[in-house]
Amino acid sequence: MIKKHEIYKTDKWNMMTVEVQGKYLVLREISEEWGEECHTFLSRPALMHWAERRFPKADFENREDEWRQLMAAFKGV
């Protein structure tokens, strides 16, 4: 059974989902700028490490709530 988590979605081109496929976590990031990127992780800590590098808190200056919601979505996987 595959469980799908939506991290964020603004439209059909700007979205990120994580699918739990057995012991694997498959992250799909779709953007109108880059197309689709797929990353596979073997653990939740590896996923969180990637998320913290991909979305550094410094990039969300004056938007800390948005960053917290994003990290909470990753932690909820």
Side-chain angles (χ1 to χ4, degrees):
M1 182 177 150
I2 296 175
K3 188 171 184 185
K4 191 173 188 176
H5 299 266
E6 189 173 280
I7 303 300
Y8 70 79
K9 182 174 184 173
T10 55
D11 54 38
K12 69 178 184 173
W13 285 107
N14 296 288
M15 59 192 285
M16 185 179 297
T17 61
V18 177
E19 295 176 0
V20 179
Q21 301 177 358
K23 67 178 184 176
Y24 299 103
L25 302 166
V26 180
L27 180 139
R28 296 185 199 291
E29 185 174 12
I30 302 169
S31 73
E32 56 194 27
E33 188 176 343
W34 299 105
E36 181 175 328
E37 287 188 48
C38 188
H39 306 277
T40 302
F41 302 95
L42 293 175
S43 68
R44 283 175 172 76
L47 172 68
M48 289 306 299
H49 180 72
W50 177 88
E52 289 165 0
R53 285 181 308 156
R54 171 68 176 80
F55 301 103
K57 193 173 187 177
D59 288 358
F60 288 82
E61 191 174 322
N62 299 320
R63 298 179 0 234
E64 289 84 5
D65 285 345
E66 183 181 342
W67 183 83
R68 278 194 286 278
Q69 289 173 351
L70 192 58
M71 290 300 119
F74 279 108
K75 288 176 183 171
V77 171

